[in-house]
Amino acid sequence: MFKGVKILGTGSYLPEKVVTNFDLEKIVETSDEWIRTRTGIEERRISRDDEPTSEIAAKAAEEALKVAGVDAKDLDLIIVATICPDQTFPNTACHVQKRIGASPTAMCFSMEAACTGFVYALETATAMLRSGYHKKALIIGAEEMSKLVDWEDRSTCVLFGDGAGAMVLEATDDVNDCALVASSMHANGNYTDILEIPAGGTLQPITPELIESKANCLRMEGQAVFKLAVTSMVRACKKVLKDANLTIDDIKWLVPHQANMRIISAVGKGLGIETEKVFVNVNKYANTSSATVPIALDEIAKSDLVKGGDYVLTVAFGAGLTWGAALIKW
Ligand code: UT7
């Protein structure tokens, strides 16, 4: 009954429009120098108004399916990790299902775990495939953060970008062969208010006054998030390595959530891994929330920087607070 799980392919998609730090200097009181030195970000991609999350998710998915050699009609599970859904409901995975022409009977749901969404989805899909109830899964991290931020708030709008990354997974008969070697997934709801969109849900239904005060946009206590991010991510990675009976020297790539270069460096330092093994692309795409990890994994796969049997340690952190580390045997 219990199965193994194989990664068959990855894909990613970034919207065409590039917005540099210099472009942002024209919108808010900021500077390329401030953004680069505080975050490592140089530019980000921004989606069109008529380009919803499911569209960029579907483009990433189509690429992953092509690489995997899998027909969308053979998928029986689609999970989309996103905090930028097309609509409150139906869920974004159903929109993706329709766009890619996937089986009209597949199980489709979205997962709202912010920047940790993709590693949560990887853990969830793996468990569902291992159980033997599902055979082929598509998991996606897709976000259009540009549609959630307040473009007059310089402390947040410069940090985020839009993008999507996808992965196709398959159940195999060898129960001992599992791409997800070990994981450590967590949340602490005592910190729901340090990174949030205050209004627009049932807690504070939207009113003209709330829109006027921008309560329907992302708000963050940057420094509090920063400190919790570093300690939690380092702890989760150490737990995963211990559970897998490996050391940091066994890791080919550390793929941390791409929120801020200083956070990435601090996590690398906390784990004692060589700088060259820490994957970085935050300079190109900024923080695309749940999409940073799958986009990075796809870039690694495409550049032939990883081969079968290599260990890739992914780790993410986001609103909730949620955090998690997932050790992948490629
Ligand atoms: O996926 C998880 C999501 N969140 C994160 O990863 C964010 C974690 N936090 C951070 O990355 C950092 O806290 C930030 C990059 C957000 C901010 O860096 P910081 O070093 O903590 O700066 P700060 O918030 O202490 O602000 C320092 C100064 C302030 O001015 P005063 O009060 O010292 O005069 C801010 O008003 O920088 C000012 N500032 C800016 N200046 C120019 C804030 N944003 C900007 C800006 N341009 N864009």
Side-chain angles (χ1 to χ4, degrees):
M1 170 87 172
F2 283 105
K3 301 282 182 185
V5 177
K6 227 177 171 170
I7 298 174
L8 297 183
T10 60
S12 60
Y13 181 78
L14 280 308
E16 276 169 29
K17 187 176 176 188
V18 177
V19 174
T20 66
N21 294 344
F22 297 104
D23 294 325
L24 293 183
E25 286 180 0
K26 295 172 201 144
I27 302 173
V28 284
E29 202 184 325
T30 190
S31 66
D32 170 62
E33 206 260 334
W34 190 97
I35 302 171
R36 258 188 308 106
T37 51
R38 301 279 175 144
T39 71
I41 298 165
E42 291 163 25
E43 57 188 45
R44 72 284 292 141
R45 302 298 182 92
I46 303 292
S47 52
R48 301 186 316 269
D49 286 348
D50 64 349
E51 186 179 31
T53 298
S54 67
E55 185 173 329
I56 63 170
K59 285 183 176 153
E62 277 160 355
E63 192 183 58
L65 288 164
K66 196 168 166 209
V67 171
V70 168
D71 190 322
K73 297 217 165 15
D74 293 331
L75 295 169
D76 55 8
L77 174 64
I78 302 175
I79 306 177
V80 177
T82 189
I83 48 168
C84 308
D86 282 24
Q87 300 171 264
T88 305
F89 70 88
N91 78 66
T92 305
C94 291
H95 284 286
V96 171
Q97 177 192 29
K98 182 179 168 192
R99 282 182 187 276
I100 65 174
S103 159
T105 56
M107 179 180 184
C108 299
F109 64 95
S110 297
M111 187 170 273
E112 196 188 347
C115 307
T116 319
F118 185 80
V119 290
Y120 264 39
L122 176 61
E123 163 111 336
T124 306
T126 299
M128 294 174 78
L129 292 171
R130 261 173 114 57
S131 72
Y133 287 115
H134 295 271
K135 290 185 175 58
K136 281 194 175 65
L138 169 67
I139 56 172
I140 303 171
E143 309 281 11
E144 296 192 347
M145 300 300 286
S146 66
K147 289 167 183 161
L148 301 189
V149 296
D150 171 2
W151 283 98
E152 289 178 354
D153 176 11
R154 68 176 183 175
S155 70
T156 53
C157 74
V158 303
L159 305 174
F160 296 94
D162 302 343
M167 182 181 272
V168 178
L169 299 162
E170 181 183 49
T172 66
D173 287 333
D174 182 359
V175 68
N176 296 315
D177 185 18
C178 188
L180 180 62
V181 177
S183 62
S184 179
M185 302 290 154
H186 307 275
N188 184 345
N190 292 315
Y191 293 107
T192 47
D193 57 351
I194 66 170
L195 178 48
E196 61 169 348
I197 292 183
T202 53
L203 188 65
Q204 279 199 85
I206 206 69
T207 61
E209 294 72 29
L210 287 166
I211 292 176
E212 182 65 28
S213 67
K214 304 279 182 72
N216 58 329
C217 295
L218 182 149
R219 280 188 191 162
M220 175 170 67
E221 290 175 31
Q223 289 189 1
V225 174
F226 192 113
K227 284 179 202 143
L228 287 160
V230 176
T231 49
S232 309
M233 286 200 281
V234 169
R235 208 180 311 126
C237 285
K238 286 186 173 167
K239 165 97 172 50
V240 158
L241 288 172
K242 190 164 173 257
D243 289 351
N245 210 11
L246 297 173
T247 72
I248 196 69
D249 297 332
D250 297 311
I251 302 302
K252 173 84 178 189
W253 283 104
L254 174 68
V255 177
H257 168 47
Q258 307 285 308
N260 179 314
M261 193 54 220
R262 289 187 295 149
I263 296 180
I264 295 169
S265 303
V267 171
K269 206 169 155 208
L271 292 170
I273 189 167
E274 295 102 298
T275 320
E276 312 78 64
K277 289 182 171 180
V278 182
F279 190 84
V280 176
N281 64 9
V282 68
N283 54 315
K284 293 189 289 181
Y285 309 134
N287 183 348
T288 57
S289 187
S290 71
T292 71
V293 169
I295 291 171
L297 291 176
D298 186 48
E299 288 202 347
I300 288 176
K302 276 185 189 142
S303 338
D304 287 331
L305 295 171
V306 68
K307 58 179 190 330
D310 284 342
Y311 287 110
V312 178
L313 180 55
T314 64
V315 63
F317 180 94
L321 296 177
T322 56
W323 68 99
L327 177 64
I328 298 169
K329 192 170 186 186
W330 204 257

